[in-house]
mmCIF file of all heavy atoms in Angstrom:
data_model
loop_
_atom_site.group_PDB
_atom_site.id
_atom_site.type_symbol
_atom_site.label_atom_id
_atom_site.label_comp_id
_atom_site.label_asym_id
_atom_site.label_seq_id
_atom_site.Cartn_x
_atom_site.Cartn_y
_atom_site.Cartn_z
ATOM 1 N N MET A 51 61.072 63.966 107.403
ATOM 2 C CA MET A 51 59.844 64.734 107.218
ATOM 3 C C MET A 51 59.905 66.024 108.041
ATOM 4 O O MET A 51 60.497 66.067 109.098
ATOM 5 C CB MET A 51 58.631 63.905 107.673
ATOM 6 C CG MET A 51 58.506 62.625 106.871
ATOM 7 S SD MET A 51 56.849 62.301 106.287
ATOM 8 C CE MET A 51 56.008 61.846 107.793
ATOM 9 N N LYS A 52 59.262 67.027 107.491
ATOM 10 C CA LYS A 52 59.216 68.314 108.184
ATOM 11 C C LYS A 52 57.847 68.507 108.832
ATOM 12 O O LYS A 52 56.865 67.917 108.406
ATOM 13 C CB LYS A 52 59.458 69.441 107.174
ATOM 14 C CG LYS A 52 60.839 69.397 106.546
ATOM 15 C CD LYS A 52 61.838 70.121 107.408
ATOM 16 C CE LYS A 52 63.149 70.279 106.633
ATOM 17 N NZ LYS A 52 64.091 71.109 107.374
ATOM 18 N N LYS A 53 57.829 69.385 109.831
ATOM 19 C CA LYS A 53 56.575 69.621 110.545
ATOM 20 C C LYS A 53 55.853 70.862 110.026
ATOM 21 O O LYS A 53 56.481 71.856 109.666
ATOM 22 C CB LYS A 53 56.842 69.796 112.043
ATOM 23 C CG LYS A 53 57.178 68.504 112.738
ATOM 24 C CD LYS A 53 57.382 68.733 114.218
ATOM 25 C CE LYS A 53 57.650 67.414 114.931
ATOM 26 N NZ LYS A 53 57.895 67.621 116.367
ATOM 27 N N CYS A 54 54.548 70.774 110.037
ATOM 28 C CA CYS A 54 53.699 71.927 109.740
ATOM 29 C C CYS A 54 53.899 72.993 110.824
ATOM 30 O O CYS A 54 53.940 72.669 112.007
ATOM 31 C CB CYS A 54 52.248 71.456 109.721
ATOM 32 S SG CYS A 54 51.053 72.784 109.639
ATOM 33 N N ASP A 55 54.013 74.240 110.395
ATOM 34 C CA ASP A 55 54.210 75.321 111.370
ATOM 35 C C ASP A 55 52.964 75.586 112.220
ATOM 36 O O ASP A 55 53.054 76.215 113.274
ATOM 37 C CB ASP A 55 54.591 76.608 110.648
ATOM 38 C CG ASP A 55 56.017 76.546 110.108
ATOM 39 O OD1 ASP A 55 56.812 75.742 110.627
ATOM 40 O OD2 ASP A 55 56.335 77.317 109.181
ATOM 41 N N LEU A 56 51.833 75.129 111.758
ATOM 42 C CA LEU A 56 50.589 75.405 112.486
ATOM 43 C C LEU A 56 50.160 74.262 113.389
ATOM 44 O O LEU A 56 49.837 74.465 114.549
ATOM 45 C CB LEU A 56 49.468 75.733 111.499
ATOM 46 C CG LEU A 56 49.715 76.975 110.646
ATOM 47 C CD1 LEU A 56 48.500 77.269 109.790
ATOM 48 C CD2 LEU A 56 50.035 78.179 111.510
ATOM 49 N N CYS A 57 50.136 73.044 112.866
ATOM 50 C CA CYS A 57 49.627 71.923 113.668
ATOM 51 C C CYS A 57 50.716 70.935 114.081
ATOM 52 O O CYS A 57 50.436 69.968 114.778
ATOM 53 C CB CYS A 57 48.504 71.211 112.916
ATOM 54 S SG CYS A 57 49.058 70.339 111.441
ATOM 55 N N ASN A 58 51.968 71.177 113.593
ATOM 56 C CA ASN A 58 53.112 70.323 113.944
ATOM 57 C C ASN A 58 53.008 68.891 113.438
ATOM 58 O O ASN A 58 53.751 68.019 113.873
ATOM 59 C CB ASN A 58 53.359 70.306 115.458
ATOM 60 C CG ASN A 58 53.964 71.609 115.931
ATOM 61 O OD1 ASN A 58 54.760 72.212 115.230
ATOM 62 N ND2 ASN A 58 53.571 72.053 117.113
ATOM 63 N N LYS A 59 52.099 68.654 112.502
ATOM 64 C CA LYS A 59 51.994 67.335 111.904
ATOM 65 C C LYS A 59 53.098 67.156 110.860
ATOM 66 O O LYS A 59 53.351 68.043 110.057
ATOM 67 C CB LYS A 59 50.621 67.213 111.244
ATOM 68 C CG LYS A 59 50.328 65.858 110.655
ATOM 69 C CD LYS A 59 48.887 65.834 110.151
ATOM 70 C CE LYS A 59 48.637 64.642 109.257
ATOM 71 N NZ LYS A 59 48.888 64.890 107.841
ATOM 72 N N GLU A 60 53.734 66.019 110.875
ATOM 73 C CA GLU A 60 54.795 65.765 109.913
ATOM 74 C C GLU A 60 54.225 65.347 108.564
ATOM 75 O O GLU A 60 53.262 64.584 108.485
ATOM 76 C CB GLU A 60 55.718 64.654 110.435
ATOM 77 C CG GLU A 60 56.546 65.099 111.617
ATOM 78 C CD GLU A 60 57.615 64.091 111.979
ATOM 79 O OE1 GLU A 60 57.432 62.904 111.691
ATOM 80 O OE2 GLU A 60 58.630 64.503 112.557
ATOM 81 N N ASP A 61 54.835 65.894 107.502
ATOM 82 C CA ASP A 61 54.389 65.543 106.153
ATOM 83 C C ASP A 61 55.524 65.799 105.170
ATOM 84 O O ASP A 61 56.522 66.420 105.521
ATOM 85 C CB ASP A 61 53.161 66.370 105.778
ATOM 86 C CG ASP A 61 52.266 65.620 104.793
ATOM 87 O OD1 ASP A 61 52.774 64.734 104.061
ATOM 88 O OD2 ASP A 61 51.065 65.921 104.755
ATOM 89 N N VAL A 62 55.362 65.319 103.928
ATOM 90 C CA VAL A 62 56.393 65.524 102.912
ATOM 91 C C VAL A 62 56.100 66.744 102.040
ATOM 92 O O VAL A 62 56.975 67.226 101.339
ATOM 93 C CB VAL A 62 56.564 64.282 102.014
ATOM 94 C CG1 VAL A 62 57.138 63.127 102.821
ATOM 95 C CG2 VAL A 62 55.262 63.883 101.367
ATOM 96 N N ILE A 63 54.877 67.221 102.071
ATOM 97 C CA ILE A 63 54.508 68.395 101.282
ATOM 98 C C ILE A 63 53.970 69.492 102.190
ATOM 99 O O ILE A 63 53.111 69.244 103.040
ATOM 100 C CB ILE A 63 53.449 68.045 100.211
ATOM 101 C CG1 ILE A 63 54.005 67.016 99.230
ATOM 102 C CG2 ILE A 63 52.987 69.298 99.473
ATOM 103 C CD1 ILE A 63 53.001 66.552 98.208
ATOM 104 N N HIS A 64 54.524 70.686 102.018
ATOM 105 C CA HIS A 64 54.013 71.845 102.753
ATOM 106 C C HIS A 64 53.860 73.011 101.798
ATOM 107 O O HIS A 64 54.593 73.122 100.817
ATOM 108 C CB HIS A 64 54.949 72.214 103.898
ATOM 109 C CG HIS A 64 54.922 71.238 105.026
ATOM 110 N ND1 HIS A 64 55.916 70.321 105.228
ATOM 111 C CD2 HIS A 64 54.004 71.019 105.987
ATOM 112 C CE1 HIS A 64 55.608 69.576 106.280
ATOM 113 N NE2 HIS A 64 54.449 69.974 106.756
ATOM 114 N N TYR A 65 52.937 73.893 102.135
ATOM 115 C CA TYR A 65 52.657 75.059 101.311
ATOM 116 C C TYR A 65 53.173 76.304 102.022
ATOM 117 O O TYR A 65 52.946 76.487 103.216
ATOM 118 C CB TYR A 65 51.148 75.169 101.051
ATOM 119 C CG TYR A 65 50.618 73.929 100.374
ATOM 120 C CD1 TYR A 65 50.095 72.879 101.131
ATOM 121 C CD2 TYR A 65 50.706 73.794 98.998
ATOM 122 C CE1 TYR A 65 49.648 71.715 100.513
ATOM 123 C CE2 TYR A 65 50.261 72.631 98.375
ATOM 124 C CZ TYR A 65 49.731 71.595 99.138
ATOM 125 O OH TYR A 65 49.307 70.454 98.531
ATOM 126 N N ARG A 66 53.874 77.137 101.251
ATOM 127 C CA ARG A 66 54.447 78.365 101.799
ATOM 128 C C ARG A 66 53.404 79.465 101.645
ATOM 129 O O ARG A 66 53.050 79.835 100.529
ATOM 130 C CB ARG A 66 55.720 78.693 101.024
ATOM 131 C CG ARG A 66 56.543 79.816 101.604
ATOM 132 C CD ARG A 66 57.909 79.814 100.911
ATOM 133 N NE ARG A 66 58.730 80.916 101.376
ATOM 134 C CZ ARG A 66 59.017 81.990 100.642
ATOM 135 N NH1 ARG A 66 58.546 82.112 99.414
ATOM 136 N NH2 ARG A 66 59.772 82.950 101.134
ATOM 137 N N VAL A 67 52.927 79.963 102.755
ATOM 138 C CA VAL A 67 51.813 80.917 102.715
ATOM 139 C C VAL A 67 52.000 82.055 103.707
ATOM 140 O O VAL A 67 52.750 81.955 104.680
ATOM 141 C CB VAL A 67 50.467 80.206 103.024
ATOM 142 C CG1 VAL A 67 50.121 79.191 101.945
ATOM 143 C CG2 VAL A 67 50.489 79.542 104.390
ATOM 144 N N LYS A 68 51.267 83.138 103.421
ATOM 145 C CA LYS A 68 51.145 84.269 104.335
ATOM 146 C C LYS A 68 49.674 84.651 104.394
ATOM 147 O O LYS A 68 48.926 84.394 103.464
ATOM 148 C CB LYS A 68 51.909 85.487 103.805
ATOM 149 C CG LYS A 68 53.368 85.474 104.087
ATOM 150 C CD LYS A 68 53.982 86.858 103.967
ATOM 151 C CE LYS A 68 53.900 87.445 102.578
ATOM 152 N NZ LYS A 68 54.821 88.598 102.425
ATOM 153 N N SER A 69 49.280 85.297 105.482
ATOM 154 C CA SER A 69 47.922 85.846 105.550
ATOM 155 C C SER A 69 47.924 86.966 106.583
ATOM 156 O O SER A 69 48.965 87.291 107.162
ATOM 157 C CB SER A 69 46.902 84.777 105.930
ATOM 158 O OG SER A 69 46.917 84.572 107.321
ATOM 159 N N ILE A 70 46.766 87.512 106.838
ATOM 160 C CA ILE A 70 46.665 88.597 107.825
ATOM 161 C C ILE A 70 47.097 88.125 109.214
ATOM 162 O O ILE A 70 47.600 88.899 110.023
ATOM 163 C CB ILE A 70 45.234 89.177 107.823
ATOM 164 C CG1 ILE A 70 45.194 90.509 108.585
ATOM 165 C CG2 ILE A 70 44.206 88.170 108.374
ATOM 166 C CD1 ILE A 70 43.973 91.357 108.303
ATOM 167 N N ASN A 71 46.926 86.849 109.495
ATOM 168 C CA ASN A 71 47.310 86.299 110.797
ATOM 169 C C ASN A 71 48.764 85.840 110.847
ATOM 170 O O ASN A 71 49.317 85.635 111.929
ATOM 171 C CB ASN A 71 46.407 85.113 111.151
ATOM 172 C CG ASN A 71 44.980 85.539 111.408
ATOM 173 O OD1 ASN A 71 44.736 86.590 111.984
ATOM 174 N ND2 ASN A 71 44.034 84.742 110.964
ATOM 175 N N TYR A 72 49.371 85.641 109.675
ATOM 176 C CA TYR A 72 50.759 85.171 109.600
ATOM 177 C C TYR A 72 51.519 86.120 108.697
ATOM 178 O O TYR A 72 51.525 85.963 107.475
ATOM 179 C CB TYR A 72 50.800 83.732 109.076
ATOM 180 C CG TYR A 72 49.876 82.828 109.848
ATOM 181 C CD1 TYR A 72 48.652 82.437 109.322
ATOM 182 C CD2 TYR A 72 50.215 82.424 111.134
ATOM 183 C CE1 TYR A 72 47.779 81.635 110.049
ATOM 184 C CE2 TYR A 72 49.352 81.625 111.869
ATOM 185 C CZ TYR A 72 48.137 81.239 111.320
ATOM 186 O OH TYR A 72 47.277 80.451 112.040
ATOM 187 N N LYS A 73 52.145 87.118 109.289
ATOM 188 C CA LYS A 73 52.749 88.215 108.531
ATOM 189 C C LYS A 73 54.034 87.788 107.827
ATOM 190 O O LYS A 73 54.425 88.382 106.834
ATOM 191 C CB LYS A 73 53.066 89.386 109.468
ATOM 192 C CG LYS A 73 51.878 89.834 110.285
ATOM 193 C CD LYS A 73 50.974 90.759 109.496
ATOM 194 C CE LYS A 73 49.873 91.245 110.427
ATOM 195 N NZ LYS A 73 49.007 92.227 109.853
ATOM 196 N N SER A 74 54.713 86.787 108.360
ATOM 197 C CA SER A 74 55.880 86.276 107.656
ATOM 198 C C SER A 74 55.566 84.875 107.140
ATOM 199 O O SER A 74 54.626 84.223 107.602
ATOM 200 C CB SER A 74 57.101 86.270 108.571
ATOM 201 O OG SER A 74 56.833 85.563 109.745
ATOM 202 N N TRP A 75 56.357 84.424 106.192
ATOM 203 C CA TRP A 75 56.073 83.144 105.546
ATOM 204 C C TRP A 75 56.062 81.995 106.544
ATOM 205 O O TRP A 75 56.949 81.890 107.390
ATOM 206 C CB TRP A 75 57.114 82.859 104.472
ATOM 207 C CG TRP A 75 57.036 83.775 103.305
ATOM 208 C CD1 TRP A 75 57.932 84.755 102.988
ATOM 209 C CD2 TRP A 75 56.022 83.815 102.291
ATOM 210 N NE1 TRP A 75 57.521 85.392 101.838
ATOM 211 C CE2 TRP A 75 56.375 84.840 101.391
ATOM 212 C CE3 TRP A 75 54.861 83.078 102.058
ATOM 213 C CZ2 TRP A 75 55.592 85.146 100.265
ATOM 214 C CZ3 TRP A 75 54.090 83.382 100.951
ATOM 215 C CH2 TRP A 75 54.456 84.409 100.070
ATOM 216 N N ILE A 76 55.077 81.141 106.407
ATOM 217 C CA ILE A 76 55.039 79.897 107.181
ATOM 218 C C ILE A 76 54.896 78.727 106.203
ATOM 219 O O ILE A 76 54.462 78.906 105.071
ATOM 220 C CB ILE A 76 53.865 79.872 108.189
ATOM 221 C CG1 ILE A 76 52.522 80.055 107.469
ATOM 222 C CG2 ILE A 76 54.055 80.930 109.263
ATOM 223 C CD1 ILE A 76 51.331 79.683 108.327
ATOM 224 N N PHE A 77 55.262 77.553 106.669
ATOM 225 C CA PHE A 77 55.016 76.331 105.910
ATOM 226 C C PHE A 77 53.916 75.549 106.616
ATOM 227 O O PHE A 77 54.033 75.252 107.798
ATOM 228 C CB PHE A 77 56.279 75.468 105.836
ATOM 229 C CG PHE A 77 57.316 76.020 104.892
ATOM 230 C CD1 PHE A 77 58.427 76.706 105.379
ATOM 231 C CD2 PHE A 77 57.189 75.843 103.525
ATOM 232 C CE1 PHE A 77 59.380 77.205 104.515
ATOM 233 C CE2 PHE A 77 58.150 76.339 102.657
ATOM 234 C CZ PHE A 77 59.246 77.023 103.152
ATOM 235 N N CYS A 78 52.861 75.229 105.873
ATOM 236 C CA CYS A 78 51.772 74.481 106.504
ATOM 237 C C CYS A 78 51.355 73.295 105.644
ATOM 238 O O CYS A 78 51.602 73.252 104.444
ATOM 239 C CB CYS A 78 50.589 75.394 106.794
ATOM 240 S SG CYS A 78 49.746 75.991 105.340
ATOM 241 N N CYS A 79 50.719 72.328 106.279
ATOM 242 C CA CYS A 79 50.244 71.138 105.582
ATOM 243 C C CYS A 79 48.983 71.465 104.789
ATOM 244 O O CYS A 79 48.423 72.561 104.896
ATOM 245 C CB CYS A 79 49.982 70.016 106.585
ATOM 246 S SG CYS A 79 48.596 70.341 107.689
ATOM 247 N N LYS A 80 48.510 70.499 104.032
ATOM 248 C CA LYS A 80 47.355 70.724 103.166
ATOM 249 C C LYS A 80 46.109 71.112 103.960
ATOM 250 O O LYS A 80 45.341 71.977 103.566
ATOM 251 C CB LYS A 80 47.080 69.453 102.351
ATOM 252 C CG LYS A 80 46.112 69.685 101.219
ATOM 253 C CD LYS A 80 46.097 68.487 100.279
ATOM 254 C CE LYS A 80 45.289 68.821 99.034
ATOM 255 N NZ LYS A 80 45.297 67.717 98.071
ATOM 256 N N LYS A 81 45.928 70.478 105.085
ATOM 257 C CA LYS A 81 44.760 70.751 105.917
ATOM 258 C C LYS A 81 44.774 72.205 106.413
ATOM 259 O O LYS A 81 43.776 72.912 106.312
ATOM 260 C CB LYS A 81 44.776 69.772 107.104
ATOM 261 C CG LYS A 81 43.470 69.709 107.866
ATOM 262 C CD LYS A 81 43.582 68.718 109.020
ATOM 263 C CE LYS A 81 43.316 69.429 110.327
ATOM 264 N NZ LYS A 81 44.088 68.880 111.441
ATOM 265 N N CYS A 82 45.920 72.632 106.935
ATOM 266 C CA CYS A 82 46.029 74.007 107.430
ATOM 267 C C CYS A 82 45.987 75.006 106.279
ATOM 268 O O CYS A 82 45.492 76.113 106.439
ATOM 269 C CB CYS A 82 47.307 74.176 108.230
ATOM 270 S SG CYS A 82 47.330 73.159 109.712
ATOM 271 N N TRP A 83 46.498 74.621 105.128
ATOM 272 C CA TRP A 83 46.474 75.485 103.961
ATOM 273 C C TRP A 83 45.037 75.830 103.563
ATOM 274 O O TRP A 83 44.746 76.962 103.187
ATOM 275 C CB TRP A 83 47.215 74.817 102.802
ATOM 276 C CG TRP A 83 47.105 75.530 101.505
ATOM 277 C CD1 TRP A 83 47.603 76.769 101.224
ATOM 278 C CD2 TRP A 83 46.453 75.063 100.326
ATOM 279 N NE1 TRP A 83 47.295 77.096 99.918
ATOM 280 C CE2 TRP A 83 46.592 76.066 99.350
ATOM 281 C CE3 TRP A 83 45.778 73.893 100.000
ATOM 282 C CZ2 TRP A 83 46.064 75.923 98.064
ATOM 283 C CZ3 TRP A 83 45.263 73.757 98.728
ATOM 284 C CH2 TRP A 83 45.410 74.762 97.779
ATOM 285 N N HIS A 84 44.137 74.861 103.687
ATOM 286 C CA HIS A 84 42.730 75.134 103.373
ATOM 287 C C HIS A 84 42.162 76.201 104.295
ATOM 288 O O HIS A 84 41.310 76.998 103.891
ATOM 289 C CB HIS A 84 41.898 73.847 103.493
ATOM 290 C CG HIS A 84 41.984 72.982 102.279
ATOM 291 N ND1 HIS A 84 41.501 73.374 101.058
ATOM 292 C CD2 HIS A 84 42.522 71.755 102.100
ATOM 293 C CE1 HIS A 84 41.733 72.406 100.178
ATOM 294 N NE2 HIS A 84 42.363 71.426 100.772
ATOM 295 N N ILE A 85 42.618 76.225 105.525
ATOM 296 C CA ILE A 85 42.159 77.235 106.485
ATOM 297 C C ILE A 85 42.785 78.593 106.169
ATOM 298 O O ILE A 85 42.086 79.589 106.024
ATOM 299 C CB ILE A 85 42.510 76.795 107.925
ATOM 300 C CG1 ILE A 85 41.801 75.482 108.258
ATOM 301 C CG2 ILE A 85 42.136 77.891 108.923
ATOM 302 C CD1 ILE A 85 42.363 74.776 109.485
ATOM 303 N N VAL A 86 44.115 78.598 106.016
ATOM 304 C CA VAL A 86 44.826 79.859 105.790
ATOM 305 C C VAL A 86 44.421 80.498 104.462
ATOM 306 O O VAL A 86 44.312 81.724 104.362
ATOM 307 C CB VAL A 86 46.355 79.625 105.827
ATOM 308 C CG1 VAL A 86 47.112 80.904 105.495
ATOM 309 C CG2 VAL A 86 46.782 79.112 107.198
ATOM 310 N N SER A 87 44.137 79.670 103.461
ATOM 311 C CA SER A 87 43.803 80.201 102.140
ATOM 312 C C SER A 87 42.488 80.975 102.127
ATOM 313 O O SER A 87 42.229 81.735 101.203
ATOM 314 C CB SER A 87 43.748 79.072 101.112
ATOM 315 O OG SER A 87 42.659 78.211 101.375
ATOM 316 N N LYS A 88 41.676 80.803 103.155
ATOM 317 C CA LYS A 88 40.415 81.541 103.249
ATOM 318 C C LYS A 88 40.562 82.838 104.033
ATOM 319 O O LYS A 88 39.623 83.637 104.116
ATOM 320 C CB LYS A 88 39.338 80.667 103.909
ATOM 321 C CG LYS A 88 38.903 79.513 103.029
ATOM 322 C CD LYS A 88 37.853 78.673 103.725
ATOM 323 C CE LYS A 88 37.341 77.565 102.816
ATOM 324 N NZ LYS A 88 38.412 76.592 102.484
ATOM 325 N N GLU A 89 41.723 83.048 104.616
ATOM 326 C CA GLU A 89 41.936 84.252 105.423
ATOM 327 C C GLU A 89 42.254 85.447 104.537
ATOM 328 O O GLU A 89 42.725 85.309 103.401
ATOM 329 C CB GLU A 89 43.067 84.012 106.420
ATOM 330 C CG GLU A 89 42.692 82.990 107.479
ATOM 331 C CD GLU A 89 43.823 82.696 108.445
ATOM 332 O OE1 GLU A 89 44.951 83.159 108.219
ATOM 333 O OE2 GLU A 89 43.573 81.994 109.423
ATOM 334 N N SER A 90 42.033 86.614 105.103
ATOM 335 C CA SER A 90 42.310 87.861 104.409
ATOM 336 C C SER A 90 43.808 88.020 104.166
ATOM 337 O O SER A 90 44.627 87.568 104.964
ATOM 338 C CB SER A 90 41.768 88.983 105.286
ATOM 339 O OG SER A 90 42.119 90.210 104.792
ATOM 340 N N GLN A 91 44.170 88.638 103.039
ATOM 341 C CA GLN A 91 45.553 88.913 102.648
ATOM 342 C C GLN A 91 46.374 87.639 102.434
ATOM 343 O O GLN A 91 47.600 87.641 102.543
ATOM 344 C CB GLN A 91 46.257 89.812 103.682
ATOM 345 C CG GLN A 91 45.675 91.210 103.745
ATOM 346 C CD GLN A 91 46.261 92.028 104.890
ATOM 347 O OE1 GLN A 91 47.388 91.820 105.311
ATOM 348 N NE2 GLN A 91 45.469 92.964 105.388
ATOM 349 N N TYR A 92 45.689 86.558 102.116
ATOM 350 C CA TYR A 92 46.375 85.298 101.828
ATOM 351 C C TYR A 92 47.272 85.440 100.596
ATOM 352 O O TYR A 92 46.863 85.999 99.585
ATOM 353 C CB TYR A 92 45.333 84.216 101.584
ATOM 354 C CG TYR A 92 45.849 82.993 100.865
ATOM 355 C CD1 TYR A 92 46.657 82.082 101.527
ATOM 356 C CD2 TYR A 92 45.536 82.765 99.533
ATOM 357 C CE1 TYR A 92 47.136 80.964 100.867
ATOM 358 C CE2 TYR A 92 46.000 81.647 98.879
ATOM 359 C CZ TYR A 92 46.815 80.757 99.542
ATOM 360 O OH TYR A 92 47.279 79.660 98.875
ATOM 361 N N SER A 93 48.481 84.965 100.702
ATOM 362 C CA SER A 93 49.299 84.819 99.505
ATOM 363 C C SER A 93 50.095 83.520 99.556
ATOM 364 O O SER A 93 50.412 83.004 100.624
ATOM 365 C CB SER A 93 50.227 86.023 99.304
ATOM 366 O OG SER A 93 51.033 86.209 100.408
ATOM 367 N N TYR A 94 50.364 83.020 98.365
ATOM 368 C CA TYR A 94 50.969 81.703 98.207
ATOM 369 C C TYR A 94 52.384 81.863 97.656
ATOM 370 O O TYR A 94 52.596 82.576 96.678
ATOM 371 C CB TYR A 94 50.089 80.890 97.258
ATOM 372 C CG TYR A 94 50.695 79.584 96.809
ATOM 373 C CD1 TYR A 94 50.747 78.502 97.677
ATOM 374 C CD2 TYR A 94 51.179 79.432 95.522
ATOM 375 C CE1 TYR A 94 51.296 77.300 97.267
ATOM 376 C CE2 TYR A 94 51.716 78.233 95.097
ATOM 377 C CZ TYR A 94 51.771 77.174 95.980
ATOM 378 O OH TYR A 94 52.310 75.989 95.570
ATOM 379 N N GLY A 95 53.346 81.212 98.306
ATOM 380 C CA GLY A 95 54.729 81.413 97.906
ATOM 381 C C GLY A 95 55.431 80.171 97.407
ATOM 382 O O GLY A 95 56.646 80.164 97.279
ATOM 383 N N GLY A 96 54.685 79.109 97.127
ATOM 384 C CA GLY A 96 55.317 77.914 96.598
ATOM 385 C C GLY A 96 55.031 76.688 97.437
ATOM 386 O O GLY A 96 54.401 76.755 98.485
ATOM 387 N N THR A 97 55.533 75.574 96.943
ATOM 388 C CA THR A 97 55.327 74.295 97.622
ATOM 389 C C THR A 97 56.666 73.685 97.951
ATOM 390 O O THR A 97 57.586 73.723 97.145
ATOM 391 C CB THR A 97 54.508 73.342 96.715
ATOM 392 O OG1 THR A 97 53.304 73.981 96.351
ATOM 393 C CG2 THR A 97 54.205 72.057 97.430
ATOM 394 N N ARG A 98 56.802 73.153 99.148
ATOM 395 C CA ARG A 98 58.017 72.472 99.548
ATOM 396 C C ARG A 98 57.751 70.967 99.543
ATOM 397 O O ARG A 98 56.851 70.485 100.230
ATOM 398 C CB ARG A 98 58.397 72.921 100.963
ATOM 399 C CG ARG A 98 59.616 72.213 101.525
ATOM 400 C CD ARG A 98 59.991 72.730 102.887
ATOM 401 N NE ARG A 98 59.012 72.327 103.898
ATOM 402 C CZ ARG A 98 59.041 72.719 105.162
ATOM 403 N NH1 ARG A 98 59.960 73.546 105.569
ATOM 404 N NH2 ARG A 98 58.125 72.319 106.013
ATOM 405 N N LYS A 99 58.537 70.260 98.759
ATOM 406 C CA LYS A 99 58.383 68.794 98.702
ATOM 407 C C LYS A 99 59.672 68.134 99.113
ATOM 408 O O LYS A 99 60.748 68.483 98.647
ATOM 409 C CB LYS A 99 58.036 68.365 97.272
ATOM 410 C CG LYS A 99 56.587 68.531 96.925
ATOM 411 C CD LYS A 99 56.306 67.939 95.557
ATOM 412 C CE LYS A 99 54.947 68.424 95.053
ATOM 413 N NZ LYS A 99 54.703 68.030 93.667
ATOM 414 N N LEU A 100 59.574 67.183 99.969
ATOM 415 C CA LEU A 100 60.738 66.402 100.377
ATOM 416 C C LEU A 100 60.697 65.046 99.712
ATOM 417 O O LEU A 100 59.638 64.466 99.510
ATOM 418 C CB LEU A 100 60.724 66.222 101.900
ATOM 419 C CG LEU A 100 60.696 67.512 102.710
ATOM 420 C CD1 LEU A 100 60.624 67.178 104.186
ATOM 421 C CD2 LEU A 100 61.899 68.364 102.438
ATOM 422 N N LYS A 101 61.896 64.533 99.413
ATOM 423 C CA LYS A 101 61.948 63.223 98.781
ATOM 424 C C LYS A 101 62.218 62.143 99.813
ATOM 425 O O LYS A 101 62.805 62.414 100.839
ATOM 426 C CB LYS A 101 63.024 63.221 97.705
ATOM 427 C CG LYS A 101 62.585 64.037 96.515
ATOM 428 C CD LYS A 101 63.705 64.127 95.459
ATOM 429 C CE LYS A 101 63.239 65.012 94.311
ATOM 430 N NZ LYS A 101 64.326 65.247 93.363
HETATM 431 ZN ZN1 ZN B 1397 49.048 71.641 109.551
#
């Protein structure tokens, strides 16, 4: 399992996102994605799934 770049929680699914606070791509869990997706300049770059 990989860790969320924001909260360090391990999960199998992460979302690749950017926002005004994160200028380069980060991978975050679903919970953090809900927060980042409300930020200004949010963009979505795909989903990472581990088997
Ligand atoms: Zn997280």
Side-chain angles (χ1 to χ4, degrees):
M51 300 227 288
K52 296 274 190 173
K53 286 182 177 178
C54 170
D55 288 338
L56 298 185
C57 68
N58 287 324
K59 184 175 166 270
E60 290 190 334
D61 209 335
V62 293
I63 298 176
H64 289 104
Y65 302 93
R66 189 168 177 252
V67 295
K68 278 199 297 196
S69 80
I70 194 163
N71 292 323
Y72 308 103
K73 307 278 184 175
S74 55
W75 292 109
I76 58 165
F77 286 102
C78 68
C79 68
K80 193 168 189 177
K81 194 180 121 213
C82 296
W83 172 65
H84 278 295
I85 298 164
V86 176
S87 68
K88 291 179 176 64
E89 292 178 352
S90 173
Q91 294 173 28
Y92 162 74
S93 57
Y94 170 75
T97 305
R98 177 177 70 185
K99 279 186 195 172
L100 303 178
K101 288 176 183 174

